[in-house]
């Protein structure tokens, strides 16, 4: 497989990006009510690595009736604990297309992670969606009855029981509708999800609709200021702007209530000249977690092509933000 810090083949990336451009805007109003707080004690994510019972040649699909493809390193060793990465596609796309576009499929060997690329449910227009928030992207009662929180939670639990997973590094990368879904899971599945990247996504309009996370989650928000599908400035009545979203997750992670640290700009969008991405980092968060907002100035909803730094930096964020085991002390 290609190195994670190398630019993937342009033909593959271009094909994936063209398919991703079928994404449509998700809109609607949010009338969510506050969710109940999580139980006082939640179970740890455990699996075959804890009992040294992981198979050396595991299956490459899990999920029962909603099968999801799994990619493992070609030199997979059941005695090694790997980060788990789940890619959540945008509205109308698929897990395979999204992961190819982001470069994670090509980077499995060099990145040394286990990758899952699930698909959302088909709606009546044959578009795949995640039931994330009222704003995005379940459009009728049938779509809103889909419990994607339970589905993705079950995928993570099955992955832990099937592959040798480092449960302190369970990461989600969501784009657009998938970004909304990933951020919902940072609220409702904080016991098993440790790290999230949301590209061009957002959260509930009402902050109280995010079930208070019992455990801190590292969250990186990537958002372009020229995004016309999910605007950086948010949409009143539907979802907040990118800075407000980052502040909310910084509070949930227990970060210091001061202005975030300004890091050097980086170049991650190949269509925008120079180092276009401004990076803000919230520090002093609980259990070694971090929250960051990366603003892609003049960046669109689907940045393409990514630079080599885009692949390198996002892979590092996902795999190098382990949550301290002491986080779970109260649950034992």
């Amino acid at each position: 497989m290609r190195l994670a810090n190398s630019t993937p083949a342009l033909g593959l990336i271009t094909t994936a990006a063209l398919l991703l451009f079928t994404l449509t805007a998700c809109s609607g109003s949010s009338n969510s009510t506050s969710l109940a707080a999580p139980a006082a004690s939640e179970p740890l994510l455990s699996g075959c690595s804890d009992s040294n019972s992981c198979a050396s040649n595991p299956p490459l699909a899990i999920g029962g009736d909603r099968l999801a493809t799994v990619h493992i390193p070609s030199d997979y060793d059941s005695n090694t604990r790997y980060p788990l990465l789940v890619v959540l596609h945008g509205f109308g796309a698929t897990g395979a297309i999204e992961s190819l576009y982001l470069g994670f499929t090509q980077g499995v060997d060099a990145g040394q992670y286990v990758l899952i690329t699930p698909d959302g449910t088909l709606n009546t227009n044959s578009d795949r969606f995640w039931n994330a928030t009222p704003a995005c992207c379940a459009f009728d009662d049938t779509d809103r009855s889909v419990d994607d929180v339970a589905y993705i939670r079950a995928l993570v639990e099955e992955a832990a029981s099937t592959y040798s997973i480092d449960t302190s590094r369970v990461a989600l990368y969501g784009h657009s509708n998938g970004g909304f879904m990933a951020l919902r899971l940072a609220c409702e599945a904080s016991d098993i999800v440790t790290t999230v990247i949301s590209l061009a996504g957002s959260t509930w309009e009402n902050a109280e609709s995010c079930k208070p996370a019992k455990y801190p989650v590292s969250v990186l928000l990537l958002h372009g200021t020229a995004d016309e599908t999910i605007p950086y400035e948010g949409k009143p009545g539907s979802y907040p702007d990118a800075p407000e979203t980052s502040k909310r997750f910084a509070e949930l992670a227990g970060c210091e209530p001061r202005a975030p640290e300004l890091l050097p700009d980086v170049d991650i969008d190949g269509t925008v000249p120079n180092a276009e991405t401004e990076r803000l980092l919230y520090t002093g968060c609980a259990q070694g977690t971090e929250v960051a907002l990366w603003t892609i100035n003049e960046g669109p909803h689907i940045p393409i092509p990514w630079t080599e730094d885009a692949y390198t930096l996002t892979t590092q964020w996902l795999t190098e933000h382990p949550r301290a085991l002491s986080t779970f002390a109260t649950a034992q």
Side-chain angles (χ1 to χ4, degrees):
M1 295 214 176
R2 268 185 95 86
L3 295 178
N5 61 353
S6 299
T7 304
L10 289 178
L12 293 174
I13 291 299
T14 301
T15 300
L18 288 173
L19 290 170
L20 277 168
F21 269 106
T22 63
L23 294 172
T24 58
C26 300
S27 61
S29 60
S30 174
N31 295 311
S32 300
T33 57
S34 179
L35 300 174
S41 178
E42 295 164 323
L44 289 170
L45 176 64
S46 60
C48 61
S49 60
D50 299 306
S51 57
N52 296 317
S53 61
C54 300
S56 60
N57 187 26
L60 298 181
I62 60 174
D65 293 338
R66 287 180 65 180
L67 282 177
T69 301
V70 181
H71 302 265
I72 62 176
S74 59
D75 59 349
Y76 175 82
D77 181 353
S78 60
N79 294 312
T80 299
R81 294 196 177 202
Y82 297 89
L84 176 64
L85 170 56
V86 182
V87 171
L88 303 177
H89 62 75
F91 181 75
T94 67
I97 291 172
E98 193 72 58
S99 185
L100 180 65
Y101 159 65
L102 294 170
F104 293 121
T105 306
Q106 305 91 306
V108 167
D109 274 2
Q112 289 291 292
Y113 47 76
V114 172
L115 171 69
I116 307 179
T117 57
D119 290 334
T121 304
L122 286 172
N123 65 14
T124 55
N125 293 322
S126 296
D127 293 317
R128 293 196 179 275
F129 72 94
W130 302 107
N131 180 18
T133 75
C136 188
C137 283
F139 298 132
D140 58 34
D141 290 342
T142 299
D143 293 351
R144 287 187 285 271
S145 70
V146 176
D147 191 346
D148 281 320
V149 172
Y151 169 62
I152 297 167
R153 174 184 284 277
L155 278 183
V156 171
E157 292 172 345
E158 185 177 355
S161 67
T162 307
Y163 313 98
S164 185
I165 299 301
D166 177 357
T167 57
S168 73
R169 294 185 291 171
V170 176
L172 308 179
Y173 191 125
H175 181 198
S176 190
N177 181 199
F180 279 82
M181 192 71 235
L183 292 175
R184 178 172 181 175
L185 287 156
C187 298
E188 296 186 31
S190 68
D191 55 318
I192 61 173
V193 172
T194 65
T195 310
V196 164
I197 292 182
S198 168
L199 168 63
S202 189
T203 187
W204 284 279
E205 173 69 8
N206 182 356
E208 296 301 316
S209 295
C210 174
K211 180 184 296 185
K214 178 178 175 63
Y215 302 111
V217 176
S218 290
V219 174
L220 167 58
L221 298 168
L222 282 168
H223 214 132
T225 60
D227 189 335
E228 297 181 354
T229 303
I230 305 295
Y232 182 90
E233 298 81 9
K235 184 176 182 180
S238 292
Y239 49 85
D241 61 34
E244 170 62 21
T245 301
S246 68
K247 290 177 184 177
R248 291 187 190 178
F249 282 95
E251 290 176 2
L252 286 171
C255 306
E256 292 182 0
R258 59 178 176 81
E261 178 183 350
L262 182 63
L263 300 180
D265 294 351
V266 291
D267 180 14
I268 65 172
D269 186 339
T271 64
V272 182
N274 304 316
E276 79 295 317
T277 299
E278 177 184 284
R279 298 187 296 165
L280 297 177
L281 177 67
Y282 291 87
T283 59
C285 312
Q287 303 300 335
T289 56
E290 291 181 330
V291 175
L293 170 62
W294 293 8
T295 299
I296 310 172
N297 289 304
E298 302 304 320
H301 187 65
I302 305 176
I304 185 170
W306 293 112
T307 66
E308 291 186 10
D309 278 349
Y311 294 97
T312 302
L313 293 172
T314 54
T315 300
Q316 287 175 344
W317 180 276
L318 292 167
T319 61
E320 298 180 9
H321 276 88
R323 185 160 58 191
L325 293 178
S326 59
T327 302
F328 301 110
T330 59
Q332 295 179 352

